[in-house]
Amino acid sequence: MKMTREQRYRRIEQAEPGEIAKLEAQISVCPWRQSYHIQPIKGLLNDPNGFAYYQGYYHLFYQWFPLGTEHGMKYWYHTRSKNLVNWENVGIGIEPGGRYDSHGAYSGSAIEKDDKLHLLYTGNTRDEDWVRHPYQCLAVMDESGSVTKLNDPVISSVPAGYTEHFRDPKVWQQGDTYYCVIGAQRTDETGCTVLYRSIDLNNWEFMGGIRTQLTSFGYMWECPDYMEMDGKGVLVFSPQGIDAAGDHYQNIFQSGYLIGDPLNLQTREFNHGEFQELDRGFDFYAPQTMQGPDGRRILVGWMGLPDLEYPTDDSGWAHCLTIPRQLSLRDGKLIQQPVAEMVQLRQQEEGTHIRATIDNESRSFAGFNGIAYELICEISHLEAEIVGIELRANGTEKTVLLYDRIQQKVVLDRTMSGAKLAEQNGVVRQCTLTAEVIKFHLFVDSSSVEIFVNDGEEVFTSRIFPSRDSVDIRFFARGGKADFEATQWHY
């Protein structure tokens, strides 16, 4: 049963008697709760927000609607970790319902200043005609973890030339100056990113739109993020309204990046190469990055997409976040690799190891199975036409990851992965890859798989919804033989 608009825009304290207990009861029997991914305690999770290192912890907030699995009144929910691996739930970080966030505390980012963590976010409001009025608001978290919202917005209006789709501020510091990019829509309904600057985080000056070569590229750019790496400027954003083209842009909305010369903060000129997708899978959106205390650039994404239904919707919760990924540049591409800390989840140091030549067959090996695990498989001496792995498999279910040597494509197929997803989610994703040796690095959980191909050259992120007894792993070669070497660690 869909909620009415009034039901979706209630605050948590306005829940009906027994409503939250019912959600919790549904969740307690759900077979798809994750074992090591950040997921909502109940209700709906979406964009990662406020990702920052502060007072010895990595802090990560996420968009949260506590009363159901639809998008409604959004809170910021707060998690934290000392090692990027074991996350503890802290509780509500930003509560909506004030004058300038009456209909939700939308996405934003965090930066430390004066020993406090400053949270810059979009306050969502609606008037009596349900017209949106966005404000950019500031909240401040002190060392005790207590969060105080400023009474007034720090950016109180949308500049001329832009619509009310104006949100998701991402802040950084350069020298003595703070800058932020905001996702926007021009009045001609094209997407873009705009730039602001401030000396104190409270008073912001509008600089104008960032000048890219993508003058008409979708109708809205969400969740922009700007960073500099190896002397290059990188602009990450999530454009909406891009048509599919071959293997590209297959999801309802996309996430990707531009690499170029560093952004000229005076002229706002950004000279860049082509737009490239961050992830080839089904379920990846609204990523946010932060710079760790050791200088690493770390990314977390929402493992889901807006406007799509998922099998857990009937179980009182929806969506999760990806594992943290370290970013680097290689050959003009943004490379994502699992943060090194993930090895702390391995239950046994050595792992279970096999080495075998597989010739025109499918093979299972003792000890290779499970629901939550890490698996590294290297396939070499490829004579076979197709090689790959079936995971979370049993008699009727399997998720298939393969490399087609003839087509030179990596393919992820979830046609038989378990509970069906909405048709518009699709069942196959693929991308071109030319390589002599194929390395698949997999992170599998109760209802997801994250695949890093050839050390992060390509990444596939996907939700899957198999039954609990689909635990088999099979390695296969078709049309010839290939050498497989694999190690699995249970989590």
Side-chain angles (χ1 to χ4, degrees):
M1 254 259 300
K2 291 273 191 202
M3 287 184 170
T4 63
R5 182 193 284 172
E6 286 70 23
Q7 288 172 318
R8 292 203 317 273
Y9 283 89
R10 291 172 300 157
R11 293 198 301 278
I12 197 167
E13 64 270 19
Q14 296 169 309
E16 302 285 339
E19 186 176 3
I20 288 173
K22 183 183 170 192
L23 283 179
E24 288 168 348
Q26 289 173 320
I27 290 165
S28 68
V29 295
C30 178
W32 296 309
R33 289 293 278 175
Q34 301 276 55
S35 62
Y36 61 91
H37 285 83
I38 293 173
Q39 60 191 344
I41 49 169
K42 56 181 167 284
L44 176 137
L45 163 157
N46 58 305
D47 307 5
N49 292 159
F51 194 14
Y53 188 81
Y54 171 68
Q55 300 284 332
Y57 284 91
Y58 292 92
H59 294 268
L60 184 52
F61 303 79
Y62 57 77
Q63 290 284 284
W64 184 51
F65 174 54
L67 299 180
T69 55
E70 298 173 52
H71 291 272
M73 178 73 88
K74 294 295 173 62
Y75 289 69
W76 275 34
Y77 192 89
H78 184 190
T79 65
R80 68 177 189 174
S81 173
K82 282 197 174 293
N83 63 359
L84 290 169
V85 175
N86 307 111
W87 294 90
E88 58 175 303
N89 289 323
V90 180
I92 291 169
I94 298 177
E95 199 169 326
R99 181 177 172 188
Y100 298 105
D101 57 11
S102 59
H103 289 70
Y106 276 14
S107 289
S109 55
I111 194 165
E112 185 177 350
K113 176 179 179 283
D114 302 332
D115 298 323
K116 293 182 170 63
L117 194 64
H118 290 64
L119 311 173
L120 186 64
Y121 70 99
T122 298
N124 181 46
T125 70
R126 298 276 191 169
D127 64 22
E128 55 275 9
D129 298 320
W130 205 247
V131 174
R132 181 197 307 262
H133 298 281
Y135 298 93
Q136 312 311 316
C137 304
L138 188 63
V140 180
M141 187 173 90
D142 64 20
E143 293 169 22
S144 74
S146 138
V147 177
T148 307
K149 296 197 294 189
L150 267 65
N151 289 330
D152 293 311
V154 293
I155 299 174
S156 57
S157 61
V158 174
Y162 302 91
T163 74
E164 72 280 3
H165 290 287
F166 196 84
R167 53 183 173 268
D168 313 333
K170 179 63 164 66
V171 62
W172 76 95
Q173 185 176 6
Q174 206 149 317
D176 295 331
T177 307
Y178 298 96
Y179 294 89
C180 86
V181 282
I182 294 179
Q185 180 187 64
R186 302 182 190 97
T187 46
D188 66 359
E189 297 192 352
T190 56
C192 63
T193 298
V194 300
L195 182 68
Y196 280 78
R197 73 177 172 197
S198 171
I199 51 166
D200 58 6
L201 296 178
N202 287 283
N203 300 284
W204 289 90
E205 177 192 357
F206 176 62
M207 307 287 290
I210 290 180
R211 297 193 171 113
T212 70
Q213 280 92 69
L214 301 179
T215 49
S216 182
F217 192 70
Y219 59 79
M220 172 65 190
W221 292 7
E222 291 198 308
C223 303
D225 193 339
Y226 178 75
M227 68 208 76
E228 291 180 4
M229 303 168 68
D230 300 344
K232 296 284 186 185
V234 181
L235 180 67
V236 173
F237 60 100
S238 295
Q240 298 182 323
I242 307 295
D243 292 331
D247 293 340
H248 299 281
Y249 315 139
Q250 287 291 317
N251 292 335
I252 179 173
F253 301 129
Q254 319 310 321
S255 292
Y257 60 91
L258 305 170
I259 297 177
D261 301 326
L263 172 64
N264 185 316
L265 293 165
Q266 272 61 53
T267 66
R268 308 183 311 285
E269 289 288 344
F270 184 48
N271 296 313
H272 57 81
E274 62 179 353
F275 179 82
Q276 301 181 68
E277 288 176 88
L278 268 165
D279 197 283
R280 303 297 187 175
F282 300 87
D283 303 291
F284 182 89
Y285 194 67
Q288 185 167 99
T289 75
M290 58 87 72
Q291 193 159 19
D294 52 6
R296 285 183 299 174
R297 178 64 63 170
I298 301 167
L299 174 147
V300 169
W302 166 24
M303 211 191 298
L305 283 162
D307 304 336
L308 294 179
E309 293 178 4
Y310 285 81
T312 59
D313 291 355
D314 297 330
S315 297
W317 71 285
H319 308 304
C320 58
L321 298 181
T322 68
I323 63 169
R325 304 167 177 186
Q326 182 174 344
L327 299 183
S328 58
L329 293 181
R330 186 197 308 156
D331 299 332
K333 288 185 77 163
L334 202 52
I335 301 299
Q336 303 170 71
Q337 291 175 285
V339 291
E341 288 89 337
M342 292 303 293
V343 301
Q344 296 173 39
L345 285 175
R346 295 174 179 174
Q347 286 180 10
Q348 72 283 39
E349 203 173 318
E350 294 302 317
T352 308
H353 186 78
I354 57 114
R355 187 178 284 169
T357 299
I358 298 178
D359 188 354
N360 244 330
E361 61 181 331
S362 173
R363 286 180 63 181
S364 303
F365 296 90
F368 276 78
N369 57 55
I371 287 174
Y373 56 85
E374 177 187 353
L375 173 70
I376 296 177
C377 177
E378 200 161 284
I379 308 170
S380 58
H381 300 105
L382 260 76
E383 295 173 22
E385 292 178 5
I386 292 174
V387 292
I389 309 169
E390 295 177 352
L391 51 107
R392 294 302 307 273
N394 67 14
T396 56
E397 293 182 346
K398 59 184 178 180
T399 297
V400 183
L401 172 66
L402 63 84
Y403 181 67
D404 184 323
R405 184 176 62 88
I406 309 302
Q407 302 281 336
Q408 298 197 319
K409 285 191 176 183
V410 180
V411 181
L412 177 63
D413 184 343
R414 64 177 183 187
T415 306
M416 298 174 67
S417 288
K420 294 286 181 247
L421 287 97
E423 204 168 287
Q424 68 264 43
N425 295 65
V427 290
V428 174
R429 292 287 184 273
Q430 56 189 18
C431 72
T432 300
L433 184 84
T434 306
E436 296 292 312
V437 175
I438 302 300
K439 180 180 174 187
F440 292 138
H441 191 172
L442 283 72
F443 290 82
V444 179
D445 207 340
S446 307
S447 56
S448 68
V449 56
E450 291 169 80
I451 301 156
F452 299 82
V453 184
N454 286 13
D455 297 314
E457 188 174 333
E458 299 290 355
V459 186
F460 288 75
T461 300
S462 180
R463 299 299 302 277
I464 53 173
F465 299 93
S467 59
R468 296 293 287 187
D469 57 4
S470 293
V471 296
D472 295 349
I473 298 171
R474 308 183 194 118
F475 301 90
F476 64 87
R478 298 202 281 270
K481 62 183 180 180
D483 292 345
F484 284 68
E485 185 172 355
T487 308
Q488 184 192 20
W489 296 269
H490 289 277
Y491 280 3

